[in-house]
Amino acid sequence: MQDYIDLFINSFSDYWNYLVKEITTPSWTNYFYWLVGLSLLVFTLEIIKPWRKDQKVLRRDFWLDLFYLFFNFFLFSLVGYNSISNVAVAAFNDGLKSIGIENLVAIELGSLPVWSQLLIMFIIADFIQWNIHRLLHRVPRLWEFHKVHHSIKEMGFAAQFRFHFMETIIYKSLQYIPLAMLGFGIEQFFIVHMLSVFIGHLNHANLNWDYGPLKYVINNPKMHLWHHARDLPADHKYGVNYGLSLSIWDYLFGTAHVPYHDAHLELGFHGDEHYPDSFGKQLVEPFKK
């Protein structure tokens, strides 16, 4: 037990040191500056060629979403997720060893070329996330947390990160075992992670894009806008277009819905006029239900 306590406490200082290094030491594998760089790039695209031309550059809730971006990408890990997850993974692995299992790796991919490892992880991780995203809409308890994200009324790049911190715990917990069975860790592969962030920024941005024929494979702003529509089609009462980076899953499993393109589609969910509009109240709201 003492080992777990020490791991929990040391995780705070370890993550703080990591965060300081990220900010003070720019590099090509630096999460902080890639996040800032990609955000500025997509924000610039929004300014140069906006889809909703009457939407203000500093749109409704711009600063709220920007705070969510840095809170969920960095601060939440510092506050507790990093420490909790380190202890949980250590306890999980110790539990496996107690029954004679050294690890969960069922398929060894380490011998494959790096590019193919990255591609396989990108596809598998996105499919897992697609399924988790469906659960967030279909399970009432989880939907209460996901409502934070769907309280968005105007789209912009930073809206991608307006989500309740419990979603981080849900996504990473459900991802851990299937990725571990393939020899992948949740925190691995910088390139895949930043590519997902970039696509997510674009999907939520004020941009009129769908990538032509590639729209059936890659998620895009025109398609994802319908995921945030306030009024859902009658045959998809829980939601549509669950894809995060890839749209192919929605086309394969019948949850794709892009009937037409409407820059001014009403966003949100029924009853959102009573939903809290501040960071603190939004974090507390799901626990009240």
Side-chain angles (χ1 to χ4, degrees):
M1 178 58 70
Q2 186 59 45
D3 290 341
Y4 294 141
I5 295 174
D6 292 341
L7 178 61
F8 181 81
I9 295 174
N10 291 335
S11 293
F12 283 96
S13 58
D14 290 345
Y15 190 82
W16 172 254
N17 293 333
Y18 157 78
L19 191 58
V20 170
K21 184 179 179 181
E22 281 279 294
I23 296 173
T24 58
T25 312
S27 71
W28 287 109
T29 57
N30 185 300
Y31 280 97
F32 179 82
Y33 287 104
W34 269 100
L35 176 64
V36 172
L38 291 176
S39 298
L40 289 175
L41 172 60
V42 179
F43 187 36
T44 301
L45 292 173
E46 286 185 325
I47 296 172
I48 295 174
K49 198 171 183 180
W51 189 7
R52 293 163 285 278
K53 300 185 186 305
D54 56 344
Q55 180 174 299
K56 295 179 180 179
V57 172
L58 299 182
R59 59 178 174 78
R60 176 178 175 179
D61 292 337
F62 174 84
W63 297 110
L64 173 64
D65 289 344
L66 201 62
F67 181 76
Y68 264 110
L69 188 153
F70 283 97
F71 176 83
N72 282 319
F73 205 91
F74 287 107
L75 298 184
F76 176 57
S77 292
L78 179 62
V79 169
Y81 177 76
N82 190 59
S83 299
I84 295 170
S85 62
N86 284 345
V87 172
V89 169
F92 182 77
N93 289 332
D94 288 343
L96 291 179
K97 291 178 182 178
S98 70
I99 57 175
I101 300 176
E102 289 297 321
N103 59 60
L104 284 178
V105 178
I107 303 173
E108 182 54 63
L109 300 177
S111 60
L112 296 176
V114 174
W115 69 266
S116 61
Q117 292 185 50
L118 297 176
L119 179 61
I120 291 170
M121 184 186 183
F122 178 70
I123 294 173
I124 293 176
D126 195 71
F127 183 56
I128 294 171
Q129 291 176 10
W130 179 84
N131 280 284
I132 296 171
H133 195 182
R134 287 179 67 243
L135 289 177
L136 292 176
H137 281 259
R138 298 178 70 89
V139 178
R141 178 69 266 175
L142 299 183
W143 169 242
E144 292 302 324
F145 293 111
H146 197 46
K147 275 183 179 179
V148 172
H149 185 62
H150 280 268
S151 66
I152 296 165
K153 301 302 289 183
E154 290 184 338
M155 296 290 265
F157 75 92
Q160 174 189 191
F161 279 91
R162 187 199 292 193
F163 58 82
H164 198 281
F165 69 84
M166 282 298 297
E167 286 199 29
T168 300
I169 296 175
I170 294 165
Y171 269 104
K172 291 197 174 184
S173 297
L174 294 178
Q175 280 182 315
Y176 178 73
I177 292 179
L179 291 181
M181 291 179 70
L182 295 172
F184 295 133
I186 296 297
E187 302 297 333
Q188 288 179 338
F189 297 127
F190 172 85
I191 295 174
V192 168
H193 187 52
M194 296 317 299
L195 177 60
S196 298
V197 170
F198 184 44
I199 295 174
H201 269 13
L202 292 172
N203 289 342
H204 291 84
N206 183 17
L207 297 171
N208 184 20
W209 293 359
D210 66 4
Y211 312 127
L214 288 177
K215 66 185 178 183
Y216 298 109
V217 178
I218 303 174
N219 200 1
N220 53 83
K222 284 184 175 179
M223 182 175 189
H224 194 67
L225 188 69
W226 280 97
H227 176 73
H228 284 268
R230 192 171 191 267
D231 294 313
L232 298 171
D235 56 340
H236 290 90
K237 66 177 182 177
Y238 293 109
V240 295
N241 304 346
Y242 299 110
L244 276 75
S245 295
L246 300 177
S247 61
I248 190 171
W249 314 123
D250 289 299
Y251 286 105
L252 286 175
F253 297 103
T255 52
H257 179 75
V258 191
Y260 53 87
H261 300 308
D262 182 0
H264 298 284
L265 190 68
E266 186 178 5
L267 310 182
F269 55 88
H270 288 278
D272 62 3
E273 61 272 14
H274 305 298
Y275 203 75
D277 56 4
S278 68
F279 175 77
K281 291 181 179 179
Q282 288 181 354
L283 290 193
V284 173
E285 185 66 16
F287 297 108
K288 290 182 177 181
K289 300 295 182 182

